[in-house]
């Protein structure tokens, strides 16, 4: 289960490339597992490693501490390409909890929200300031629905209400259903009793 996400404060990692697709986030050859753990080692693999598996020292993703850089700032149309749930799995397992961009692919957004990873869309001016000031400390406040940084005014963002509640609670869809199982069972009992009740004379 994902960790609850209410207020995230972290340094940012900036990748300005537009159209970073899911095959760049997690190459197709690593999609043989249904386990969510361990995929962080494969995140952006072809950017981080040579063909022989040796690490590229110039790759920024090999030089940062993921525990201190939990917010990714990415170029336009992030997460485009094929639909693969492994992409948010890999980003989450690497250490990221949120991505900020000017636009994020719809299917990636859906997969991310189901797996404890927060996609945040901001305006161009805010994005340009984030890019111009890499590694600045940014707060993504899901409870308030805003991004805060330095002395700038907060920037509002929106998340689909059900997905937002799941992120705040640290549950996926199945976890939400299990949490409300007593209410569901009570509703089913009530419906059964009403169906079996004799018709009024």
């Amino acid at each position: 289960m994902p960790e609850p996400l209410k207020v995230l404060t972290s340094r940012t990692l900036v990748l300005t490339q537009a159209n970073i697709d899911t095959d760049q986030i997690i190459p197709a050859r690593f999609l043989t597992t249904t386990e969510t753990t361990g995929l962080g080692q494969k995140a952006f693999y072809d950017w981080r490693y040579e063909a022989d598996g040796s690490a590229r020292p110039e790759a920024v993703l090999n030089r940062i501490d993921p525990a201190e850089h939990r917010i990714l700032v990415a170029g336009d149309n992030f997460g485009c390409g094929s639909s693969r749930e492994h992409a948010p799995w890999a980003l989450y397992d690497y250490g990221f909890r949120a991505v900020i961009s000017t636009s994020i692919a719809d299917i990636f957004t859906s997969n991310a929200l189901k797996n404890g990873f927060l996609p945040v869309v901001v305006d161009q001016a805010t994005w340009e300031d984030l890019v111009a000031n890499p590694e600045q400390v940014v707060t993504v406040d899901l409870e308030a629905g805003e991004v805060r940084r330095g002395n700038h005014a907060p920037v509002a963002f929106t998340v689909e209400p059900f997905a937002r509640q799941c992120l705040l609670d640290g549950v996926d869809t199945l976890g939400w259903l299990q949490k409300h199982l007593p209410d569901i069972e009570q509703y089913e009992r009530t419906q059964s009793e009403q169906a079996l009740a004799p018709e009024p004379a």
Side-chain angles (χ1 to χ4, degrees), residues 197-201:
E199 293 289 335

Side-chain angles (χ1 to χ4, degrees), residues 162-180:
F162 175 70
R164 174 182 178 274
Q165 193 60 54
C166 287
L167 285 168
L168 291 171
D169 293 343
V171 297
D172 56 15
T173 304
L174 177 59
W176 185 89
L177 288 170
Q178 291 173 330
K179 179 180 176 182
H180 290 83

Side-chain angles (χ1 to χ4, degrees), residues 48-68:
R48 298 166 60 196
Y49 299 100
E50 302 290 354
D52 62 3
S54 59
R56 295 179 175 177
E58 73 278 9
V60 65
L61 287 150
N62 291 334
R63 292 188 280 109
I64 65 168
D65 179 357
E68 296 183 2

Side-chain angles (χ1 to χ4, degrees), residues 86-109:
H86 293 69
W89 289 356
L91 293 170
Y92 186 105
D93 194 58
Y94 177 85
F96 294 119
R97 286 303 308 273
V99 59
I100 301 174
S101 181
T102 48
S103 72
I104 301 173
D106 289 342
I107 294 177
F108 176 88
T109 294

